[in-house]
Amino acid sequence: MADWRKISGGVTAARGYRAAGITAGLKPSGLPDLALIFSDVEAIAAGVFTTSQVRAACVDYCRQRLQAKHSARAILCNAGQANAATGTQGWFDTLQSAMAVAQALNIASDSVLLASTGVIGQRIPMDKLNAGIPKVVAALSDTGSDNAARAIITTDLVPKSIALETTIGDRPVRIGGIAKGSGMIHPNMATMLAFVTCDAAVSPTLWQQMLTRAADRSFNSITVDGDTSTNDTLIALANGQSRTPAITEFGTEAEKLEAMLTAVCQHLAKAIARDGEGATCLIEVQVTGAHDELSARQIAKTIAGSSLVKSAIFGRDPNWGRIAAAAGRAGIPFEPDDLQIKLGDFLLFENGQPLTFDRAAASAYLKKAAISAYLQEDTVLITVSVGNGHGTGTAWGCDLSYDYVKINAEYTT
């Protein structure tokens, strides 16, 4: 049983944080497009970013800032323009954005972190951004998380938010998060942004290690379409305002905090996969029996990312052969005779042999998951065993529908 409980508040659930989201005119749609998260005190900061060689200016900026200084107070995010592949001027726009936020908040510019999302190759309209920064600062509130969550989305159908609470040293500790992401989603991050706030006191090295592992078990284990983007950013702040003793080394309290951090990241990651462009259901792939966790996750991610598996799920076709094929090409050795495949409660393949199963009932299971997906009540569960090893891993994805092509064919038109 989880040693935490779900609470309201998103990124403002943790003590000492305020947030805001406004319409600054950056999106042609006129929807909210500028978000700010602010800690009342300097907070330990950690980040995980895209592995792409083509990166947005804000990604390089945050990497440099976090290498030089492991703390921050503010995160500004604009939606509408990725500010990626925008050359030298895009870099200057990033620096100017940080300075404008710092001036409006009366803090040092190196305490500001930045994120952007939108169309690659488009600069941020700096006149609109500069006009919007004082407004988003004025709108900061300890109940502003929902507004911030709405202001960071692009093709998402719904905002994504979560907050959890546990007890450390007889005092409550909270972690909250918001995220955006719907398309260009693939392991090793994706077109996704996620911002996490925590009120525990943690050493910079430990906090970064926790976040990296949490990312591997969440955002790096989801896939929608096999594309990784230029702007992927996961930033986590820990400001110590819970007044609990500082966690500086691994132990029971560190494990407890990391487990809750991972749970927050996994909730947001699954919300991204469920909201995949054109998706009708969430797919969860659980792999057991591998040599180690990394191997199990690799098999799970390969299955979840297979276009053939995803298309079969959309067609409500319990085609286990596509699952077996994806597992076999994952690059992880296993004995085919050890392979077992289940779809929900339906055992389809075992000991290297196909089994007789109720195909109509299995197809109905897939249809039920699709109908209930938007209620977040049902998930298509694929369970695969590849041997007797101790390695287990999970990945999440979504089905591949006609609407995915339509959405992306018309993205800039």
Side-chain angles (χ1 to χ4, degrees):
M1 183 177 178
D3 193 16
W4 55 76
R5 67 184 184 93
K6 188 175 180 180
I7 59 175
S8 62
V11 291
T12 53
R15 290 170 181 77
Y17 293 97
R18 289 174 283 161
I22 66 164
T23 299
L26 304 175
K27 287 180 182 175
S29 64
L31 294 173
D33 50 23
L34 189 63
L36 180 65
I37 300 169
F38 181 61
S39 173
D40 291 341
V41 298
E42 195 77 7
I44 298 302
V48 179
F49 303 95
T50 181
T51 58
S52 174
Q53 294 300 304
V54 180
R55 297 180 298 274
C58 56
V59 170
D60 288 337
Y61 168 85
C62 286
R63 279 177 164 173
Q64 289 183 18
R65 283 287 180 264
L66 291 177
Q67 286 173 358
K69 178 182 177 181
H70 305 297
S71 65
R73 288 191 66 182
I75 303 170
L76 181 78
C77 177
N78 72 281
Q81 302 80 31
N83 197 22
T86 50
T88 303
Q89 190 57 55
W91 177 251
F92 288 145
D93 291 343
T94 296
L95 297 180
Q96 182 183 343
S97 300
M99 288 188 288
V101 173
Q103 183 176 7
L105 290 170
N106 194 27
I107 61 175
S109 62
D110 62 0
S111 289
V112 178
L113 298 174
L114 302 169
S116 299
T117 182
V119 180
I120 295 171
Q122 290 190 2
R123 287 178 53 200
I124 304 169
M126 292 304 294
D127 55 340
K128 295 179 179 178
L129 183 75
N130 287 329
I133 286 174
K135 296 177 183 177
V136 75
V137 168
L140 283 170
S141 165
D142 58 9
T143 59
S145 181
D146 288 346
N147 289 336
R150 283 189 286 270
I152 66 175
I153 63 177
T154 49
T155 59
D156 306 52
L157 296 178
V158 295
K160 300 160 182 69
S161 176
I162 182 68
L164 301 177
E165 181 183 75
T166 191
T167 301
I168 294 177
D170 297 324
R171 292 185 65 86
V173 171
R174 298 171 179 175
I175 299 180
I178 60 174
K180 67 83 55 179
S182 186
M184 289 185 79
I185 305 293
H186 194 58
N188 292 327
M189 305 286 279
T191 298
M192 55 143 283
L193 304 176
F195 308 118
V196 174
T197 58
C198 174
D199 53 21
V202 193
S203 72
T205 299
L206 197 58
W207 190 232
Q208 181 64 59
Q209 292 171 345
M210 288 181 178
L211 187 67
T212 299
R213 285 191 293 268
D216 283 341
R217 293 166 179 165
S218 57
F219 300 111
N220 283 340
S221 292
I222 59 172
T223 179
V224 169
D225 49 20
D227 275 297
T228 297
S229 181
T230 56
N231 288 57
D232 320 331
T233 297
L234 165 61
I235 295 172
L237 304 180
N239 67 5
Q241 292 301 287
S242 64
R243 306 302 181 188
T244 52
I247 300 173
T248 59
E249 58 186 22
F250 286 109
T252 302
E253 292 181 345
E255 291 176 359
K256 193 174 186 178
L257 188 68
E258 182 175 338
M260 190 165 70
L261 174 63
T262 301
V264 165
C265 291
Q266 286 183 343
H267 175 93
L268 295 173
K270 287 190 285 185
I272 289 172
R274 180 179 275 112
D275 195 25
E277 289 173 342
T280 69
C281 63
L282 176 69
I283 301 170
E284 180 172 315
V285 182
Q286 298 177 355
V287 174
T288 62
H291 176 69
D292 53 28
E293 179 184 348
L294 188 62
S295 299
R297 282 210 314 268
Q298 180 61 33
I299 296 172
K301 289 189 289 188
T302 304
I303 295 170
S306 165
S307 294
L308 291 177
V309 171
K310 291 153 64 69
S311 298
I313 299 299
F314 174 68
R316 319 309 169 207
D317 179 12
N319 188 343
W320 59 263
R322 292 182 174 180
I323 299 171
R329 68 174 174 83
I332 304 299
F334 63 85
E335 289 296 329
D337 287 346
D338 292 334
L339 183 63
Q340 180 190 89
I341 299 172
K342 290 179 67 177
L343 179 64
D345 293 329
F346 297 92
L347 183 60
L348 313 180
F349 189 86
E350 189 173 34
N351 298 326
Q353 301 292 326
L355 302 178
T356 301
F357 66 95
D358 189 335
R359 183 171 292 273
S363 181
Y365 164 73
L366 296 175
K367 291 176 183 177
K368 179 183 177 184
I371 292 170
S372 303
Y374 291 110
L375 300 176
Q376 300 186 15
E377 293 177 350
D378 284 276
T379 299
V380 171
L381 178 62
I382 298 172
T383 309
V384 175
S385 177
V386 295
N388 299 314
H390 298 294
T392 64
T394 304
W396 297 272
C398 61
D399 58 343
L400 184 60
S401 73
Y402 311 128
D403 285 342
Y404 175 82
V405 176
K406 179 178 174 62
I407 290 167
N408 284 283
E410 301 172 354
Y411 188 65
T412 62
T413 56

